[in-house]
Amino acid sequence: MPESPRGGVGTVCLGRPAQQQSMSQLDLEELAEIELQRDEEEAAALSIVRKPSAAPAAAQDSALSMNHPFYDVARHGILQVAGEDRFGRRVITFSCCRMPPSHELNHRRLLEYLKYTLDQYVESDYTVVYFHYGLNSRNKPSLGWLQSAYKEFDRRYKKNLKALYVVHPTNFIKVLWTIFKPLISHKFGKKVIYLNGLSELREHLKYDQLIVPPEVLRYDEKLRNLHEGRSPSPAKMPPPRPPLPTQQFGVSLQYLKDKNQGELIPPVLRFTVTYLREKGLRTEGLFRRSASVHTIREIQRLYNQGKPVNFDDYGDIHVPAVILKTFLRELPQPLLTFRAYEQILGITSVESSLRVTRCRQILQSLPEHNRAVLSYLMGFLHEVSRECIFNRMNSSNLACVFGLNLIWPSQGASSLSALVPLNLFTELLIEYHEKVFSTPEAPEAHGELSAGTQCR
């Protein structure tokens, strides 16, 4: 499966003893949820909010009658029959951005409507275009629904499907592929074609006949501008402005230290941790939930301008949790540094009883400032894990969320094979915080690894 526009895959949740880690179905389902959140956060970086249009496409379709047997679903404009491809095959489009929140759409009815539509064309060759942009945590069908849907489409539907174009795939799609791979035949898999942009779709279809939602067009334009902007003309691109003296996001730890009278712990990190420690330790799903993109950008702006932020004003404990993750993700260099990346990947090859020692050795090579900030953060996450009977966030679950917010490679993105060691390392830092950050002389116990076992 080709790389998505974003590059790699995120983190893997491992809710079992560290020495027995592997990617199970449950791990991948949790990973899919997190990747979807990352999609939304990265869309926000492009000033795009992933949500269904307020005005459904079908509202402008005079041919749609309220007597339509699936009017309740069809009115959203999720499915469209859109001309033919270059081989004269009928084209059907599925647009995720047209899907309303799950509580407003009966997904069983959606499946029936999809079959109802396909039934009119499956006796001949046909093509499906899937516009992935717009799928989010609010409108996503369950993975169980997706699995049952795939099984319900028998050979009659699959035989004459000649191509399934997936436009704007993300890491969520890559995880889905991993989950569904045991169910999907090799022959069907060859029909799936991943396209990073609408320009690639033009090479396969009669593009002018397609009904492309305006949201997808805007998203595609944003991506093209982003890619073209990597080597801009000096005449068109003004020189980068220096960060504000009060800047908190997107600047180095050294910059933050210099601008805050030598304080090692960045203000935004200390403030969010203090607030979460006081009011969020027993919040179920802490760090797992998303928050309003607009709110997060507003708080970043306030922090960067040196203005006070009162999280009580927002009435959502997940807001400071997202701010904390955003701060880590926007550091110019990961907290664990690029240099430590390859060392961390080797943690799975170390004998279980020696892994804490190896973690401590790796941390000794970190700059003193990074080590101090890391110890502060891991100490707090250890506190969160101790309340897992309430918040359902043990060290394994926290590692799933924080893994790639702490470390990523200097070039490209982490491969699928890197996910287990990166999260295992993070889990060890959280679960064995006192041992990992203690002095080298501190004694260790054999058989020390039982990370992630205290809560299920």
Side-chain angles (χ1 to χ4, degrees):
M1 182 174 182
E3 293 290 323
S4 71
R6 192 146 45 97
V9 175
T11 55
V12 173
C13 272
L14 304 171
R16 60 182 59 76
Q19 65 268 34
Q20 298 177 0
Q21 299 186 58
S22 61
M23 285 186 293
S24 70
Q25 181 83 356
L26 178 60
D27 298 333
L28 290 167
E29 289 183 14
E30 291 176 338
L31 171 57
E33 294 290 341
I34 290 172
E35 284 304 329
L36 209 53
Q37 290 185 20
R38 293 172 70 91
D39 288 348
E40 294 179 63
E41 292 169 5
E42 293 192 3
L46 294 176
S47 300
I48 298 172
V49 178
R50 288 175 175 254
K51 61 182 180 181
S53 171
Q60 304 169 7
D61 185 359
S62 58
L64 182 64
S65 166
M66 291 187 66
N67 295 323
H68 189 288
F70 290 94
Y71 179 81
D72 56 319
V73 179
R75 65 192 179 89
H76 296 293
I78 302 167
L79 290 181
Q80 299 285 345
V81 179
E84 300 175 341
D85 65 11
R86 297 191 183 280
F87 299 96
R89 302 177 298 213
R90 182 66 71 186
V91 175
I92 299 169
T93 64
F94 187 105
S95 303
C96 288
C97 65
R98 295 301 189 191
M99 293 178 64
S102 296
H103 68 275
E104 297 179 12
L105 178 67
N106 184 322
H107 288 143
R108 182 65 202 176
R109 289 280 292 170
L110 174 61
L111 176 57
E112 293 171 354
Y113 175 49
L114 181 56
K115 293 174 70 174
Y116 168 85
T117 303
L118 293 180
D119 281 344
Q120 303 172 55
Y121 306 103
V122 294
E123 298 304 323
S124 303
D125 293 348
Y126 70 100
T127 296
V128 173
V129 178
Y130 169 78
F131 293 114
H132 179 62
Y133 171 74
L135 190 72
N136 56 51
S137 56
R138 295 173 296 281
N139 67 4
K140 177 188 71 65
S142 69
L143 292 183
W145 182 89
L146 291 173
Q147 289 176 321
S148 63
Y150 179 79
K151 291 176 181 177
E152 286 202 29
F153 288 107
D154 56 26
R155 184 176 181 274
R156 186 169 67 96
Y157 294 94
K158 297 170 186 174
K159 177 184 175 183
N160 289 332
L161 173 64
K162 297 307 176 183
L164 169 57
Y165 297 102
V166 179
V167 183
H168 300 131
T170 65
N171 288 341
F172 175 78
I173 292 292
K174 179 177 284 187
V175 177
L176 278 189
W177 179 263
T178 305
I179 294 173
F180 280 82
K181 196 171 183 180
L183 301 176
I184 297 174
S185 68
H186 176 69
K187 186 175 181 180
F188 182 83
K190 291 169 63 177
K191 299 179 180 181
V192 183
I193 302 169
Y194 300 93
L195 306 175
N196 290 332
L198 295 177
S199 61
E200 297 178 29
L201 191 59
R202 293 176 185 271
E203 300 173 10
H204 299 272
L205 303 173
K206 296 178 180 178
Y207 183 82
D208 293 341
Q209 295 183 4
L210 287 182
I211 303 174
V212 183
E215 299 92 332
V216 174
L217 292 171
R218 289 194 292 270
Y219 178 67
D220 189 76
E221 182 180 7
K222 291 276 188 179
L223 287 180
R224 284 189 286 106
N225 291 341
L226 178 65
H227 294 159
E228 293 169 0
R230 288 175 179 171
S231 54
S233 168
K236 296 181 179 180
M237 179 64 71
R241 290 181 293 178
L244 295 169
T246 52
Q247 192 92 12
Q248 294 287 301
F249 293 87
V251 293
S252 68
L253 292 179
Q254 185 61 50
Y255 184 90
L256 291 167
K257 177 183 176 183
D258 292 344
K259 298 299 182 182
N260 290 280
Q261 294 77 49
E263 172 61 44
L264 291 179
I265 308 303
V268 64
L269 180 60
R270 186 177 295 281
F271 295 156
T272 52
V273 164
T274 299
Y275 187 88
L276 291 168
R277 180 181 284 124
E278 293 176 354
K279 301 187 178 184
L281 288 183
R282 294 191 172 188
T283 299
E284 184 171 341
L286 187 65
F287 295 114
R288 273 270 178 83
R289 308 289 172 81
S290 58
S292 163
V293 170
H294 174 76
T295 298
I296 297 304
R297 294 304 175 201
E298 175 190 344
I299 292 174
Q300 283 186 279
R301 178 180 57 80
L302 291 174
Y303 268 124
N304 286 338
Q305 294 177 353
K307 296 179 180 179
V309 172
N310 184 354
F311 288 119
D312 286 338
D313 294 341
Y314 301 95
D316 183 357
I317 194 64
H318 299 291
V319 167
V322 173
I323 286 292
L324 176 55
K325 291 186 294 181
T326 304
F327 169 76
L328 295 171
R329 192 161 52 246
E330 293 192 3
L331 287 172
Q333 181 173 192
L335 187 55
L336 283 166
T337 73
F338 293 130
R339 182 179 178 182
Y341 185 78
E342 293 299 329
Q343 294 177 294
I344 292 172
L345 291 186
I347 192 66
T348 50
S349 62
V350 177
E351 185 180 339
S352 295
S353 62
L354 300 176
R355 285 176 178 170
V356 169
T357 299
R358 180 56 183 152
C359 287
R360 192 162 58 222
Q361 291 171 346
I362 293 173
L363 296 190
Q364 289 300 314
S365 66
L366 293 182
E368 182 180 1
H369 192 182
N370 291 62
R371 195 161 62 249
V373 174
L374 184 67
S375 177
Y376 178 82
L377 176 63
M378 294 299 104
F380 166 64
L381 295 182
H382 181 76
E383 291 181 55
V384 175
S385 71
R386 292 179 63 179
E387 300 290 344
C388 63
I389 192 172
F390 300 103
N391 60 40
R392 307 297 182 189
M393 297 299 292
N394 61 17
S395 56
S396 175
N397 295 331
L398 289 167
C400 171
V401 173
F402 278 90
L404 285 184
N405 289 324
L406 297 176
I407 183 70
W408 56 86
S410 58
Q411 298 293 328
S414 296
S415 65
L416 195 60
S417 62
L419 302 180
V420 170
L422 295 182
N423 285 286
L424 170 57
F425 187 84
T426 306
E427 183 178 349
L428 292 168
L429 298 188
I430 298 170
E431 180 71 8
Y432 300 100
H433 171 261
E434 291 185 6
K435 292 181 178 180
V436 170
F437 291 93
S438 66
T439 59
E441 292 76 22
E444 290 183 51
H446 289 289
E448 57 197 357
L449 293 182
S450 60
T453 61
Q454 73 274 35
C455 289
R456 288 288 186 269

